[in-house]
C-alpha cells in the first residue's frame, strides 16, 4: 500500500456511499475523515488539516453550496462535488461557487480515483510557485512565454482568442470550467450568456488540435456544464 | 288552425253586431229628430268599440268604411241611396272617416302594446323562474329537467332534453316531459344518429323523425339537445320562438357553468394527484438511486479486489451489471414520465452538434470499450438550439441499440446532414435490421422486439420511446428504416430556427 500525505474529507450522509469511498481511499493509502453532516464537516475543516474535500450536495442539514462558499473564503483546497441530482444547474452553480470537479451518482471507483489524482497533482504543481513556461498534454503543448502552441512539436497557427482559450485550459488542466466562467475569462465581464460564439470558437480550435473533432482527445465537452482539458 | 278561424268568425260577428246596434240607435235618433251629428258620434264610438274588442287593424278600418256607407244610406237625404244632396256632407264624411280610422288605429296599437307588455312580462317571469331554478341545479339532469319543464310550459307541448358528455357523445337516457306534467327518463334509441346529425348541423335546428332538435352549444362544443315535437315547431309564434331561444341560451349557460365547476374540481383533484405522484417519483429517484450507487460501487470494488479467473469475480460482475441495468431502467422511467407529462422544461441553448455527438461517444466508449463508431460530420460548425443533455441521451440510446444488434466487426456510422430548416442525425448499422412486424411499433413504450430470446435483458422498450419523446419535445421527428444491404438506420431531425420563446 502506497502511503499518501494528503488527508481527504468525505462529506456524505449516506453510509453506503461513504463506506465505499472510504474503502477506496484506504486502498489508495490516503488518510481521511468522514463527516455525516454539514455541521460536522465545518468543525472538521476548522480543526483538521484537510487537503481535499469530497462533498455530497444533498446533505440533511446544510446546503452544499454554503459549505463551498464558506470554505472558499479561507482555503483553495480542491473540492469534488458528488451529487445525486441530475440537474446540471446544481453542478454549474457548485462549480461557479468554487468547486473544482463534480461526479454524478452512481460513479465508479476508477472515476473517483482518477479525479482525486488529478486534483492532488494539480495541488502539488500549483504549490511550486512560478508557473512553468511550457506545459504539455499529450502531443499538445503551449509556450506561455512565446505565446505559441505546438502540436506534435510543430508550431500551430492559432488566433489570439483561440490562444487565450487554450491558455485558460492549460492553466486549469483537469478542471471542469463552466461555460459562464470561460465566457467571462475570454470575452470579459458583461458579455452575457450567449454561448453561440463560444461554441463556434471551440469548434474552430478543435479543428486545429483534434484529429477527429467529434471524438476529442484534448478538450472534452461536459454536456450542460462546460469543458475540461484532459490530464494526460 | 281551427282556433284562428273561430277568432275571425267571432270578430266578424261582433263587428256586425255593433254596427247593427249603432244603425238602430241612429234610426232611433232620427225618429226622435235628433241632429245628425249625434249619429256621427254614435258611429265613431262604434268604430272605437270594434277596434277595442277585435284583433288587428282590419276590423276597425272596415268598420269605419261601412259606418260611412251606413250613415250615407240611412241618415243623409235622400234616404236609402248613396246619393248626397247637400255637398257639405262630404266634409262630414271625410272628417268622420278620418276620425274613425285614426281612433281605430290608435286603439288597436294601444291594445297591441298592452298585449306585448303582458307577453313580455310572462316571458321574463318564465325565464326568471327558470334561471332561479337553474342556479340551484347541481347536475346536468337537473338542468335538463328545468329546461324541459320551462320549454314545455311555454310551448304548450311535451319537450325532451338529451345531455351530451365531455366527449360530445349523447348520454344513454334523456329527460322527457309527459302530458300529465310529470318528468320521466327514457332510453335514447339511436344515439349515433343523433350525434352524427348534430355534428353536421348548420341551421339552428335539425329535424329527426317527428321531432325538431335544437342543439344547446357551449363555448366550444355541444352540451345538450332540446327536442320539440315537429307540429309545435311549425306553428310556433314569433314570441314563442324567441322564448325558446332564450330558454336554450339560459340552459347553455347553466350547462357551461356546471362543466366549468366540474373541470375545476377535476383539476384540483389532478393537482393533488400530481403532487402525490411527483413526491413518489422524487422518493423513487432518491431512494432507489442512492442504494444503487452503493451497490454499483461496492460490486466494482469487489471486482477490483478479485482476479478475473476467480468464480467470485463473476458473481461480483453479475451484481454490478444487474445494478447498472436497474439504474438505467430507473433513469429511463423517470425521464420518460417527465417527458410524457410535458413536465420537463427544455433547457434550450445553442449547441454544436459535434459536441453532443462527442459526449455521446464518450458514454459509449465506457459501455462498449471495444466498439469503434464511425462519424461523418460536415466540416462546417452546426449550432442548433437544443437541450444538449437530452439530445445526448437520444444519440446514446440509438448508438446503444445499434451496438446491441450489430456484430462487433460490422460498421456503425453516425452522420449529420444539414439543410435549410433542419439538421438530420442518423445512426446506421449493419446489424439484424428491424422486422416488418416491429417497424410500426418500434417507438412505442414497453415495446420489445420478439426476435430475441425471452431471456435477453437488453431492452425494456423504453429507449426508443424516450428518443421519440425528446425529438418531439424539440419539434423534431424520428424515423426508423431498414437499409438496403442489411441493417437499420434511425434518423432524427432538429429544427434549426430558434423557437418563438
Amino acid at each position: 500500500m502506497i502511503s499518501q500525505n494528503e488527508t481527504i474529507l468525505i462529506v456524505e450522509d449516506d453510509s453506503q456511499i461513504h463506506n465505499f469511498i472510504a474503502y477506496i481511499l484506504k486502498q489508495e493509502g490516503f488518510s481521511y475523515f468522514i463527516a455525516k453532516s454539514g455541521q460536522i464537516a465545518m468543525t472538521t475543516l476548522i480543526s483538521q488539516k484537510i487537503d481535499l474535500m469530497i462533498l455530497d450536495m444533498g446533505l440533511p442539514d446544510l446546503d452544499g453550496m454554503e459549505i463551498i462558499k464558506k470554505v472558499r473564503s479561507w482555503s483553495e483546497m480542491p473540492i469534488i462535488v458528488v451529487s445525486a441530482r441530475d440537474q446540471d444547474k446544481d453542478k454549474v452553480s457548485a462549480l461557479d461557487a468554487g468547486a473544482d470537479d463534480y461526479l454524478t451518482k452512481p460513479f465508479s471507483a476508477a472515476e473517483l480515483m482518477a479525479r482525486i489524482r488529478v486534483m492532488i497533482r494539480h495541488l502539488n504543481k500549483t504549490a511550486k510557485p512560478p508557473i512553468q513556461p511550457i506545459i504539455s498534454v499529450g502531443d499538445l503543448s503551449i509556450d506561455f512565454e512565446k505565446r505559441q502552441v505546438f502540436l506534435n512539436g510543430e508550431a500551430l497557427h492559432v488566433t489570439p482568442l483561440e490562444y487565450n482559450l487554450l491558455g485558460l485550459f492549460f492553466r486549469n488542466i483537469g478542471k471542469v470550467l463552466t461555460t459562464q466562467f470561460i465566457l467571462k475569462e475570454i470575452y470579459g465581464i458583461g458579455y452575457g450568456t450567449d454561448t453561440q460564439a463560444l461554441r463556434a470558437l471551440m469548434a474552430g480550435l478543435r479543428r486545429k488540435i483534434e484529429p477527429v473533432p467529434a471524438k476529442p482527445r484534448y478538450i472534452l465537452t461536459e454536456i450542460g456544464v462546460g469543458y475540461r482539458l484532459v490530464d494526460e | 288552425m281551427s282556433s284562428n278561424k273561430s277568432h275571425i268568425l267571432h270578430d266578424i260577428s261582433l263587428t256586425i253586431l255593433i254596427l247593427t246596434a249603432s244603425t238602430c240607435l241612429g234610426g232611433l235618433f232620427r225618429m226622435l229628430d235628433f241632429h245628425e251629428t249625434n249619429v256621427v258620434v254614435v258611429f265613431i264610438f262604434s268604430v272605437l268599440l270594434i277596434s277595442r274588442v277585435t284583433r288587428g287593424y282590419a276590423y276597425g278600418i272596415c268598420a269605419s268604411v261601412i259606418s260611412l256607407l251606413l250613415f250615407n244610406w240611412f241618415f243623409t237625404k235622400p234616404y236609402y241611396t248613396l246619393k248626397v244632396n247637400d255637398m257639405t256632407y262630404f266634409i262630414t264624411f271625410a272628417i268622420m272617416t278620418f276620425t274613425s280610422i285614426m281612433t281605430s288605429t290608435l286603439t288597436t296599437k294601444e291594445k297591441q302594446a298592452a298585449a306585448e307588455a303582458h307577453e313580455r312580462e310572462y316571458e321574463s317571469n318564465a325565464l326568471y323562474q327558470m334561471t332561479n331554478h337553474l342556479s340551484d341545479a347541481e347536475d346536468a339532469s337537473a338542468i335538463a329537467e328545468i329546461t324541459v319543464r320551462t320549454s314545455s310550459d311555454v310551448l304548450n307541448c311535451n319537450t325532451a332534453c338529451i345531455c351530451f358528455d365531455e366527449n360530445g357523445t349523447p348520454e344513454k337516457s334523456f329527460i322527457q316531459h309527459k302530458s300529465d306534467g310529470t318528468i320521466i327518463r327514457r332510453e335514447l334509441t339511436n344515439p349515433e344518429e343523433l350525434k352524427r346529425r348534430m355534428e353536421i348541423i348548420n341551421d339552428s335546428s335539425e329535424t329527426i323523425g317527428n321531432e325538431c332538435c335544437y342543439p344547446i352549444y357551449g363555448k366550444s362544443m355541444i352540451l345538450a339537445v332540446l327536442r320539440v315535437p315537429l307540429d309545435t315547431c311549425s306553428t310556433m309564434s314569433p314570441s314563442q320562438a324567441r322564448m325558446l331561444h332564450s330558454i336554450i341560451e339560459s340552459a347553455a349557460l347553466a350547462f357551461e357553468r356546471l362543466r366549468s365547476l366540474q373541470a375545476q374540481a377535476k383539476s384540483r383533484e389532478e393537482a393533488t394527484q400530481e403532487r402525490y405522484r411527483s413526491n413518489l417519483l422524487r422518493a423513487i429517484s432518491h431512494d432507489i438511486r442512492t442504494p444503487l450507487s452503493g451497490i454499483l460501487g461496492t460490486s466494482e470494488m469487489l471486482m477490483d479486489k478479485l482476479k478475473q479467473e476467480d468464480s467470485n469475480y463473476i458473481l461480483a460482475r453479475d451484481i454490478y451489471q444487474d445494478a447498472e441495468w436497474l439504474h438505467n431502467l430507473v433513469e429511463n422511467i423517470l425521464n420518460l414520465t417527465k417527458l410524457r407529462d410535458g413536465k420537463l422544461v427544455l433547457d434550450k441553448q445553442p449547441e454544436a452538434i459535434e459536441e453532443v455527438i462527442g459526449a455521446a461517444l464518450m458514454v459509449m466508449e465506457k459501455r462498449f470499450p471495444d466498439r469503434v463508431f464511425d462519424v461523418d460530420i460536415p466540416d462546417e460548425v452546426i449550432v442548433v438550439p437544443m437541450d444538449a443533455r437530452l439530445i445526448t441521451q437520444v444519440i446514446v440510446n440509438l448508438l446503444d441499440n445499434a451496438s446491441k444488434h450489430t456484430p462487433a466487426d460490422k460498421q456503425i456510422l453516425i452522420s449529420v446532414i444539414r439543410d435549410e430548416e433542419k439538421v438530420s442525425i442518423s445512426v446506421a448499422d449493419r446489424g439484424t435490421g428491424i422486422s416488418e412486424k416491429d417497424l410500426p411499433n418500434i417507438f412505442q413504450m414497453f415495446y420489445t422486439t420478439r426476435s430475441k430470446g425471452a431471456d435477453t435483458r437488453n431492452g425494456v422498450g423504453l429507449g426508443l420511446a424516450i428518443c421519440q419523446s425528446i425529438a418531439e419535445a424539440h419539434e423534431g421527428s424520428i424515423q426508423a428504416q431498414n437499409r438496403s444491404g442489411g441493417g437499420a438506420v434511425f434518423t432524427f431531425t432538429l429544427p434549426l430556427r430558434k423557437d418563438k420563446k
Side-chain angles (χ1 to χ4, degrees), chain A residues 157-171:
Chain A
H157 175 75
V158 290
T159 66
L161 266 186
E162 285 169 351
Y163 173 82
N164 286 347
L165 183 62
L166 210 52
L168 185 66
F169 280 116
F170 270 99
R171 280 191 300 274

Side-chain angles (χ1 to χ4, degrees), chain A residues 14 16-17 20 23-24 27 84 86-88 105-111 193-196 199-200 202-203 206-207 213-216 220-221 223-224 227, chain B residues 289-291 293-298 300-301 305 327 331 349-352 354-356 358-359 361-362 366 373 375 377-381 383 388-389 392:
Chain A
D14 188 80
Q16 267 216 344
I17 308 273
F20 158 63
Y23 177 85
I24 303 165
Q27 290 274 303
D86 44 8
Q87 295 294 309
D88 294 329
K105 285 183 196 171
F107 52 85
S108 72
E111 236 177 312
T193 54
D194 183 13
T195 54
Q196 188 141 9
R199 302 280 180 249
M202 188 62 72
R206 277 195 178 132
R207 274 166 185 56
K215 294 182 192 172
L220 304 184
T221 314
I223 285 295
Y227 299 93
Chain B
R289 274 188 210 165
T290 308
S293 300
I295 298 172
L296 280 170
T298 320
E300 193 197 357
M301 219 155 63
K305 275 177 79 178
H327 174 253
E331 291 291 321
Q349 299 281 342
E351 304 279 356
E354 59 193 51
E355 290 187 356
V356 243
L361 287 173
M362 249 164 69
K366 276 183 208 158
F373 298 95
V375 185
I377 301 182
D379 206 38
E380 55 160 343
V381 185
V383 179
R389 225 166 51 82
T392 311

Side-chain angles (χ1 to χ4, degrees), chain B residues 1-17:
Chain B
M1 267 300 164
S2 58
S3 79
N4 220 359
K5 242 179 210 164
S6 74
H7 270 305
I8 293 172
L9 249 135
H10 173 254
D11 286 354
I12 288 176
S13 36
L14 261 177
T15 311
I16 293 170
L17 189 75

